[in-house]
């Protein structure tokens, strides 16, 4: 049983800053595992542990994703090994390019039974890579999965959709995008962190996996912090009966 | 520009077709033909795919691809439901492009805007491909009442390469709230101490004829309210006429879901709470004092 | 010179932060402090996440960790919560156990610890007339008919009335000042003749603090822990690490107070601008930062020495004294920055200050640290 958990390396959202011209700055943001992919890695780890499978973490991106601490972080969460395609030419990809690059990386892994993706990436959250990857690999693909039961040659998954919960049977190999409800990602213990340093990570270049020139399918025109809408900011201090009364007078006009 | 529209729900189809008129001069709808899925009169043409027994919506992807390939529209608008996002992604892979997802704005020139970095920024982008695919939420494209010609053509089903077997479908107990279409919304956050106190919030909502939503922790950490009611990144993006934030600090993850509201009213005991910077009216006070007083006096 | 921690240490600290944000809220902590006990749930979670087993040998189910890593955990646990939990002293107690206990004693204690995450035993050393002066101890063990009888009184016994077992240090046969023969006995805290009476601390109230009376307590000879008559030497064995561990918690409290005070200085508007714009406040913050850096560097230089097999007799005393005193100063300044609010029980800084004060006394007072360090300093500079 070969399981692949795909993960994206993103700038830590908490440390993204906004410049006065509303540009976004990543200067202070360290690279980290995309939050939704922690659920994807955990789902893979639980399946691999239950079925004595082999879990591989796969990621693609710029050279800086090949970071020793980040790799240990991933490996402390269950995968036996990591395969990364790290090349500066793989920075800021759109979802079609990402799915193509992942496909090329996964073909280096060889045989696989199950590929897991997160619900979306923490930075762009397009929720598309799983769908596109499945289509490109020409295998069954499903999203919004919050339960996986692994069986011989197939999986039975539960999907949580807007109005219904759907149970479906999918033949393997397949690509599955999991929700953030599927599990609570583990908190790596010292034992797991120490063990991570002894696991293997393979780092390849775009050339190694045969990714040639592929153009962007979406043209990014700009990325800016939203302009704040002007608000009245008529704030009353304190909750004395009088203050509440004057507050009600003000909002009554709006609520009429 | 020729715009095709595909949705999961009949109701969304009408809305999106009407919205599509803002973008293109010709609007064609694609439907899976069944008893309860009839032409709604908003499109110039309806492509009707015969409904197949035991085939899930996602397995019509190949059929959609064949239709798009033949008819070559400039833009495909899709409802941003989970099923539809999967279909959109697969179609984009087939047409060697990427989907512009969860747009909050789409211009005639095909430029879409959507939130990135957890709501910290808005990205403007445009497709490089001859076919643009976009998922657009309800209320984003303000529709017109203009009716279409409404001719119908049947397009044959194409057998999918990988079929899935649906074992079971259970309807979720639907919360009766319809937050995206509510004119007034009360949002409740960490400021409330226990689940029972939601009663007081609901009472206020009833008095001012509003629906109740919440911030992420109330739905995810406390689970006091259903996940479908949380407002913010990866939750609901609302633009009601009045939004009342109660006990909500106003972190960006939440405010991106409500900052397009016409009027914002905030109640919070922390005068430094960020929500006051985004409010038209506010009161720095204990919500346990303010809310009952509001219920009492607005009745 | 490289001041960085290892990637493994950084990842462990990240794990601990995630653990804290998931498992405990400020409301919970307030409850622990009011009720004098950490909840079962949080104690168990700490153990299950593996933090409680750091530094305990693998053969007993532990995870080897060097002292630097252990201190990082002590510091971060305290910093995230701005509170003192019994967890680090539990680990330290287990060090004594695995070092001196027989396999059966170790297994019994580890079993309790593993299941509850709570202290398996209390450690009773100080006495009303013998605190820092251990030789003034008068609790005595007498041996009759194959049994041991304990008589005396202990005080400042942390978690005495809640831990199921107790480890008592006492003199063999005679309470004489000249008698240097001490032993350690491990027995059930509910053995007939054992009585506790709770004392009330002003800080660090997430666990209890007791007086303990031993009235002809009959125990088996097998209750002996380690070697007979060598109890005092055994006790000394982990004192140096204990001092560092206390200092790591002092440092954590100071950093927590700084986190809150610096954030407050930027937010609090007076006279139309944040108080942090005032130079008087900036000077306080600057000096607090210098003190924190000094504490940090002094502590981790000592742990580095220890992990590299160098002696820390002098360093551990310097660290304990400096961090104990300085953390109180930093927390006190944090209260000052918070003004009136700082003097209420609403803020974390007021709790940090109360807790920090305790570390100037527990585990050897500031003055005892001078007593230890002074002689070492003279020795070091003797020409």
């Amino acid at each position: 049983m070969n399981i692949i958990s795909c993960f994206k390396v993103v700038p830590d959202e908490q440390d993204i800053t906004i410049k006065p011209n509303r540009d976004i700055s990543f200067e202070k943001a360290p690279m980290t595992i995309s939050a939704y992919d922690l659920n994807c890695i955990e789902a893979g780890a639980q399946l691999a542990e239950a079925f004595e499978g082999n879990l591989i973490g796969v990621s693609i991106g710029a050279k800086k994703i090949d970071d020793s601490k980040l790799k240990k972080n991933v490996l402390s969460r269950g995968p036996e090994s990591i395969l990364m395609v790290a090349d500066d030419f793989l920075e800021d990809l759109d979802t079609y390019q990402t799915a193509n690059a992942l496909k090329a990386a996964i073909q280096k892994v060889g045989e696989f039974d199950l590929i897991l993706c997160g619900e979306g990436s923490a930075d762009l959250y397009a929720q598309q890579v799983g769908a596109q990857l499945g289509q490109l690999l020409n295998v069954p693909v499903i999203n919004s999965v919050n339960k996986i039961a692994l069986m011989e040659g197939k999986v039975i998954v539960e999907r949580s959709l807007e109005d219904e919960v759907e149970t479906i049977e999918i033949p393997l190999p397949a690509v599955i995008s999991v929700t953030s409800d599927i599990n609570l990602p583990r908190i790596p213990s010292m034992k797991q962190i120490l063990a991570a340093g002894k696991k293997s990570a393979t780092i390849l270049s775009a050339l190694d996996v045969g990714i040639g020139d592929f153009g962007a399918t979406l043209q990014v025109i700009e990325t800016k912090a939203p302009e704040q809408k002007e608000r009245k900011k008529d704030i009353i201090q304190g909750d004395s009966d009088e203050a509440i009364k004057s507050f009600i007078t003000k909002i009554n006009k709006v609520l009429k | 520009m020729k715009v095709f529209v595909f949705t999961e729900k009949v109701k969304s189809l009408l809305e999106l077709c009407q919205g599509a008129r803002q973008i293109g001069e010709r609007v064609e709808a694609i439907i899976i033909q069944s008893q309860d899925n009839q032409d709604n009169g908003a499109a110039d043409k309806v492509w009707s795919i015969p409904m197949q027994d035991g085939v899930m919506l996602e397995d019509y992807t190949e059929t959609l691809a064949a239709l798009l390939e033949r008819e070559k529209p400039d833009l495909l608008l899709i409802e941003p439901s989970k099923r539809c996002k999967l279909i959109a992604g697969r179609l984009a892979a087939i047409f060697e492009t990427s989907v512009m997802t969860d747009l909050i704005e789409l211009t005639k020139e095909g430029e879409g805007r959507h939130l990135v970095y957890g709501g910290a920024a808005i990205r403007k982008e445009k497709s490089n491909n001859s076919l643009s695919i976009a998922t657009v939420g309800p209320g984003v494209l303000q529709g017109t009442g203009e009716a279409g010609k409404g001719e119908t053509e049947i397009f044959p089903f194409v057998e999918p390469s990988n079929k899935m077997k649906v074992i079971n479908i259970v309807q979720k107990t639907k919360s009766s709230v319809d937050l995206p279409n509510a004119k007034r919304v009360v949002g409740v956050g960490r400021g409330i101490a226990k689940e029972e106190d939601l009663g007081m919030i609901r009472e206020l909502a009833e008095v001012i004829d509003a629906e109740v939503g919440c911030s992420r922790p109330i739905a995810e950490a406390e689970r006091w309210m259903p996940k479908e009611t949380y407002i913010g990144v990866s939750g609901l993006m609302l633009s009601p006429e009045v939004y009342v934030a109660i006990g909500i600090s106003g972190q960006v993850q939440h405010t991106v879901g409500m900052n397009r509201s016409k009027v914002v009213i905030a109640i919070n005991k922390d005068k430094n709470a960020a929500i006051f910077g985004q409010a038209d009216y506010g009161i720095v006070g204990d919500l346990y004092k303010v809310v009952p007083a509001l219920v009492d006096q607005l009745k | 010179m490289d001041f960085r921690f290892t990637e493994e240490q950084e990842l462990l600290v990240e794990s601990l932060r995630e653990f804290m944000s998931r498992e405990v809220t400020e409301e919970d902590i307030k409850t622990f402090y009011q009720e004098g006990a950490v909840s079962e749930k949080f104690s168990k979670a700490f153990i299950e996440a593996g933090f409680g087993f750091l530094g305990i040998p693998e053969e007993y189910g532990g995870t080897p960790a060097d002292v630097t890593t252990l201190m990082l955990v002590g510091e971060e646990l305290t910093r995230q919560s701005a509170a003192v939990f019994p967890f680090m002293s539990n680990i330290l107690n287990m060090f004594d156990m695995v070092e001196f206990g027989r396999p059966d004693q170790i297994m019994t204690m580890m079993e309790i610890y593993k299941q509850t995450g709570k202290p398996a035993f209390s450690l009773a050393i100080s006495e009303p007339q013998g605190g820092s002066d251990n030789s003034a101890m008068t609790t005595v063990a007498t041996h009759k008919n194959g049994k041991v009888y304990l008589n005396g009184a202990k005080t400042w016994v942390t978690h005495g009335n809640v831990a199921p077992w107790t480890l008592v240090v006492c003199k063999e046969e005679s309470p004489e000042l000249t008698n240097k023969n001490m032993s350690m006995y491990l027995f059930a805290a509910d053995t007939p003749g054992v009585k506790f009476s709770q004392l009330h601390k002003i800080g660090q109230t997430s666990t209890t603090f007791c007086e303990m009376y031993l009235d002809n307590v009959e125990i088996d000879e097998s209750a002996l822990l380690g070697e007979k008559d060598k109890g005092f030497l055994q006790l000394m064995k982990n004192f140096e690490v204990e001092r560092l561990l206390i200092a790591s918690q002092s440092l954590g409290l100071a950093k927590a107070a700084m986190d809150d005070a610096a954030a407050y200085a930027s937010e609090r508007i007076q006279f139309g601008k944040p108080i942090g714009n005032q130079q008087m406040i900036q000077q306080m913050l600057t000096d607090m930062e210098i003190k924190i850096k000094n504490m940090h560097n002094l502590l981790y230089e000592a742990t580095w020495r220890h992990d590299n097999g160098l002696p820390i007799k002098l360093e551990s005393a310097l660290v304990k004294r400096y961090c104990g005193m300085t953390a109180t100063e930093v927390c006190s300044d944090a209260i000052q920055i918070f003004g009136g609010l700082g003097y209420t029980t609403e803020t974390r800084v007021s709790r940090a200050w109360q807790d920090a004060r305790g570390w100037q006394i527990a585990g050897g007072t500031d003055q005892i640290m001078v007593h230890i360090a002074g002689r070492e300093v003279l020795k070091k500079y003797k020409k």
Side-chain angles (χ1 to χ4, degrees):
Chain A
M1 174 66 62
N2 274 328
I3 303 170
I4 293 170
S5 282
C6 300
F7 63 94
K8 185 173 183 179
V9 182
V10 298
D12 196 336
E13 188 183 300
Q14 289 171 357
D15 299 311
I16 293 176
T17 53
I18 295 162
K19 292 187 190 165
N21 66 356
R22 295 194 288 117
D23 275 350
I24 307 296
S25 163
F26 303 107
E27 275 161 34
K28 288 178 187 157
M31 299 307 279
T32 184
I33 309 167
S34 171
Y36 301 98
D37 293 338
L38 294 178
N39 297 98
C40 156
I41 294 170
E42 180 64 34
Q46 288 181 8
L47 289 171
E49 279 155 17
F51 296 91
E52 291 179 8
N54 179 42
L55 178 67
I56 307 167
V58 172
S59 189
I60 59 112
K63 273 213 176 85
K64 63 185 173 207
I65 72 166
D66 177 18
D67 176 90
S68 161
K69 185 179 156 192
L70 185 126
K71 288 185 287 185
K72 281 178 193 163
N73 191 352
V74 172
L75 290 167
S76 70
R77 295 168 185 275
E80 274 314 305
S81 63
I82 284 179
L83 177 84
M84 273 180 173
V85 183
D87 212 307
D88 283 343
F89 144 72
L90 299 176
E91 190 159 22
D92 292 329
L93 301 185
D94 60 42
T95 61
Y96 180 69
Q97 293 172 310
T98 304
N100 261 303
L102 279 174
K103 179 187 168 188
I106 286 165
Q107 279 166 345
K108 279 279 162 189
V109 172
E111 294 279 301
F112 65 88
D113 298 284
L114 186 60
I115 298 175
L116 299 168
C117 294
E119 176 175 302
S121 59
D123 53 352
L124 305 179
Y125 198 62
Q127 310 145 76
Q128 291 289 303
V129 169
Q132 296 197 299
L133 178 60
Q135 189 67 36
L136 291 174
L137 290 166
N138 192 25
V139 296
V141 53
I142 204 79
N143 65 346
S144 205
V145 166
N146 62 3
K147 250 182 218 166
I148 304 175
L150 195 53
M151 278 158 217
E152 193 58 45
K154 64 179 184 189
V155 281
I156 292 180
V157 303
E158 193 183 285
R159 294 172 91 192
S160 177
L161 302 167
E162 285 80 5
D163 300 332
E164 58 214 4
V165 175
E166 183 179 68
T167 311
I168 31 185
E169 185 183 304
I170 305 166
L172 295 178
V175 176
I176 292 176
S177 297
V178 300
T179 67
S180 54
D181 285 337
I182 192 168
N183 53 42
L184 185 63
R186 70 192 56 189
I187 296 175
S189 69
M190 190 65 187
K191 256 192 189 121
Q192 289 161 331
I193 293 166
L194 290 171
K198 301 185 184 90
K199 294 179 176 177
S200 77
T202 309
I203 313 301
L204 302 172
S205 68
L207 201 64
D208 293 335
V209 295
I211 302 174
D213 181 30
F214 54 34
T217 63
L218 293 179
Q219 176 198 343
V220 176
I221 300 161
E222 62 167 33
T223 305
K224 292 253 185 198
E227 262 177 286
Q228 291 288 341
K229 196 173 164 184
E230 269 307 306
R231 296 284 181 191
K232 291 197 181 68
K233 294 181 195 164
D234 184 351
I235 313 298
I236 290 167
Q237 304 288 332
D239 52 15
S240 66
D241 292 347
E242 253 166 73
I244 293 175
K245 203 168 235 168
S246 95
F247 176 62
I248 289 174
T249 316
K250 283 174 199 284
I251 65 170
N252 231 338
K253 286 181 199 143
V254 180
L255 294 172
K256 244 190 309 199
Chain B
M1 195 191 275
K2 182 155 82 172
V3 186
F4 271 37
V5 176
F6 179 72
T7 66
E8 184 178 346
K9 290 184 207 78
V10 183
K11 188 171 161 260
S12 320
L13 186 68
L14 173 64
E15 217 178 280
L16 211 51
C17 281
Q18 287 173 342
R21 293 227 163 262
Q22 299 288 95
I23 311 288
E25 46 282 357
R26 189 168 172 85
V27 176
E28 301 186 14
I30 311 167
I31 62 167
I32 313 294
Q33 187 61 49
S34 71
Q35 291 299 32
D36 61 344
N37 200 346
Q38 300 295 331
D39 167 35
N40 53 48
D44 296 315
K45 183 165 187 168
V46 174
W47 292 95
S48 174
I49 301 166
M51 185 160 142
Q52 309 292 307
D53 260 356
V55 171
M56 60 196 285
L57 192 70
E58 290 84 337
D59 282 342
Y60 290 87
T61 304
E62 280 84 351
T63 310
L64 293 171
L67 175 64
L68 296 171
E69 181 61 43
R70 203 184 78 185
E71 293 300 318
K72 303 210 179 330
D74 304 293
L75 170 67
L76 171 65
L77 288 184
I78 302 190
E79 178 185 11
S81 74
K82 283 169 178 163
R83 290 187 192 279
C84 284
K85 277 182 187 159
L86 176 57
I87 293 170
R90 292 180 56 199
L91 286 172
I94 293 168
F95 289 94
E96 301 186 354
T97 188
S98 303
V99 181
M100 297 190 279
T101 46
D102 295 335
L103 297 185
I104 54 167
E105 191 186 311
L106 179 61
T107 66
K108 278 197 168 71
E109 292 70 40
E111 286 180 8
R113 302 208 313 152
H114 68 104
L115 297 169
V116 292
Y117 305 113
I122 294 176
R123 174 168 282 192
K124 196 198 275 182
E125 61 193 5
K126 194 183 165 137
S127 175
N128 285 337
N129 197 286
S130 58
L131 169 68
S132 303
I133 306 177
T135 72
V136 182
V140 170
L141 299 169
Q142 295 302 322
T144 62
E146 198 184 329
K149 296 185 191 77
E151 58 178 289
T152 299
E153 185 174 336
I154 292 180
F155 191 83
F157 179 69
V158 177
E159 204 56 45
S161 43
N162 298 298
K163 223 174 176 170
M164 302 194 204
K165 196 162 107 196
V166 178
I167 297 175
N168 190 19
I169 293 185
V170 179
Q171 292 300 315
K172 280 188 182 170
T173 41
K174 271 207 79 173
S175 48
S176 55
V177 294
D178 183 9
L179 284 163
N181 289 310
K183 291 229 169 9
R184 291 172 178 183
V185 174
V186 173
V188 58
R190 267 272 158 91
I192 62 161
K194 41 188 200 302
E195 192 173 358
E196 299 88 271
D197 302 340
L198 281 172
M200 166 181 92
I201 306 292
R202 293 211 172 87
E203 227 178 306
L204 174 66
E206 209 180 304
V207 170
I208 63 168
D209 195 22
E211 302 282 7
V212 182
C214 63
S215 66
R216 190 174 174 141
I218 298 295
E220 293 220 320
E222 306 292 356
R223 293 173 190 265
W224 292 343
M225 289 188 59
K227 227 188 141 185
E228 293 78 34
T229 62
Y230 100 70
I231 301 159
V233 177
S234 77
L236 295 167
M237 297 291 180
L238 306 178
S239 46
E241 282 171 13
V242 181
Y243 183 79
V244 186
I246 303 179
I248 284 179
S249 63
Q251 290 183 328
V252 64
Q253 287 84 349
H254 175 75
T255 54
V256 295
M258 50 61 76
N259 61 14
R260 286 178 299 132
S261 308
K262 209 170 265 170
V263 178
V264 174
I265 298 169
I267 302 167
N268 203 302
K269 73 172 173 190
D270 177 9
K271 70 170 174 209
N272 294 315
I275 193 74
F276 288 125
Q278 304 220 22
D280 294 292
Y281 302 99
I283 182 162
V284 179
D286 183 0
L287 70 92
Y288 286 93
K289 221 179 139 187
V290 178
V291 173
L294 288 181
V295 172
D296 195 46
Q297 295 180 46
L298 291 172
K299 237 184 235 169
Chain C
M1 207 188 320
D2 191 346
F3 284 97
R4 281 175 305 185
F5 294 110
T6 66
E7 287 168 355
E8 282 77 5
Q9 286 164 339
E10 286 179 6
L11 287 168
L12 186 69
V13 168
E14 283 170 25
S15 279
L16 182 58
R17 281 187 200 142
E18 175 67 22
F19 169 81
M20 294 296 282
S21 76
R22 263 191 216 178
E23 298 291 342
V24 71
T25 65
E26 175 61 16
E27 285 307 306
D28 294 338
I29 295 169
K30 281 190 174 149
T31 310
F32 302 161
Y33 269 61
Q34 273 157 17
E35 294 179 355
V38 174
S39 71
E40 308 261 324
K41 186 172 156 269
F42 187 47
S43 304
K44 258 187 111 95
F46 190 78
I47 278 287
E48 275 162 14
F51 296 113
F53 297 123
L54 289 176
I56 295 171
E58 263 176 317
E59 52 189 304
Y60 303 113
T63 311
D66 58 19
V67 164
T68 303
T69 306
L70 207 58
M71 297 312 143
L72 270 171
V73 169
E75 180 201 321
E76 197 62 29
L77 176 72
T78 318
R79 180 182 189 172
Q80 292 300 320
S81 54
V84 170
F85 297 126
F87 300 142
M88 300 318 287
S89 87
N90 291 349
I91 295 177
L92 201 67
N93 280 5
M94 281 303 168
F95 286 179
D96 282 333
M97 189 54 55
V98 297
E99 190 126 15
F100 307 112
R102 290 187 312 268
D104 64 296
Q105 288 171 319
I106 300 170
M107 292 319 274
T108 310
M109 292 305 110
M110 275 307 282
E111 232 9 81
I112 298 171
Y113 181 50
K114 268 184 211 169
Q115 273 171 22
T116 61
K118 295 244 178 189
F121 62 94
S122 58
L123 187 54
I125 308 168
S126 294
E127 296 188 1
Q129 62 277 50
S132 301
D133 179 10
N134 292 137
S135 61
M137 189 182 283
T138 58
T139 299
V140 164
T142 43
H143 300 258
K144 268 187 295 197
N145 313 323
K147 295 277 184 191
V148 188
Y149 295 86
L150 300 180
N151 283 287
K154 292 283 175 186
T155 192
W156 311 325
V157 183
T158 298
H159 27 255
N161 58 346
V162 289
W165 292 68
T166 184
L167 182 61
V168 172
V169 185
C170 58
K171 287 191 172 171
E172 287 293 352
E173 301 294 349
S174 149
E176 292 289 311
L177 210 54
T178 50
N179 180 6
K180 302 277 183 226
N181 295 334
M182 294 183 194
S183 300
M184 287 175 161
Y185 291 95
L186 178 71
F187 53 94
D190 60 359
T191 305
V194 182
K195 272 203 197 84
F196 292 100
S197 132
Q198 201 174 320
L199 295 162
H200 299 279
K201 290 176 286 184
I202 61 165
Q204 303 191 6
T205 60
S206 63
T207 189
T208 60
F209 198 52
C210 298
E211 290 184 308
M212 179 187 193
Y213 306 98
L214 301 161
D215 181 14
N216 224 19
V217 178
E218 183 189 293
I219 52 174
D220 291 331
E221 290 281 1
S222 64
L224 180 74
L225 189 91
E227 268 186 79
K228 201 170 167 219
D229 300 336
K230 296 281 172 10
F232 191 69
L233 286 175
Q234 290 175 187
L235 201 57
M236 299 292 285
K237 175 83 195 195
N238 284 324
F239 267 178
E240 289 170 357
V241 172
E242 184 188 11
R243 282 172 203 142
L244 299 185
L245 203 49
I246 288 173
S248 77
Q249 296 175 64
S250 295
L251 175 59
L253 289 170
K255 285 190 180 177
M258 183 68 178
D259 288 336
D260 289 8
Y264 187 75
S266 303
E267 284 167 11
R268 169 76 169 169
I269 310 284
Q270 288 287 277
F271 306 108
K273 55 184 177 184
I275 58 168
N277 285 12
Q278 308 286 2
Q279 288 190 343
M280 298 260 255
I281 301 290
Q282 286 178 5
Q283 186 180 22
M284 287 174 85
L285 289 169
T286 303
D287 289 341
M288 287 160 75
E289 184 69 5
I290 291 171
K291 287 173 181 174
I292 285 172
K293 289 252 176 214
N294 281 343
M295 292 163 76
H296 183 99
N297 292 336
L298 200 57
L299 171 64
Y300 291 108
E301 190 251 357
T303 67
W304 173 86
R305 285 181 66 92
H306 184 85
D307 289 334
N308 285 283
L310 299 168
I312 54 164
K313 187 168 183 191
L314 168 62
E315 285 75 11
S316 64
L318 296 179
V319 166
K320 165 79 174 61
R321 176 175 162 86
Y322 183 75
C323 291
M325 296 190 308
T326 313
T328 308
E329 290 167 16
V330 170
C331 293
S332 177
D333 282 349
I335 288 179
Q336 198 68 22
I337 289 171
F338 268 88
L341 184 58
Y343 201 61
T344 69
T345 54
E346 295 297 308
T347 57
R348 303 198 315 162
V349 292
S350 59
R351 178 175 70 220
W353 176 65
Q354 284 174 309
D355 285 5
R357 189 65 183 80
W359 287 140
Q360 289 187 255
I361 300 163
T365 62
D366 293 347
Q367 291 66 33
I368 287 294
M369 293 306 120
V370 174
H371 175 69
I372 297 161
R375 287 172 298 179
E376 292 299 310
V377 171
L378 285 172
K379 240 190 265 172
K380 180 176 170 180
Y381 291 96
K382 198 167 176 188
K383 291 216 166 110

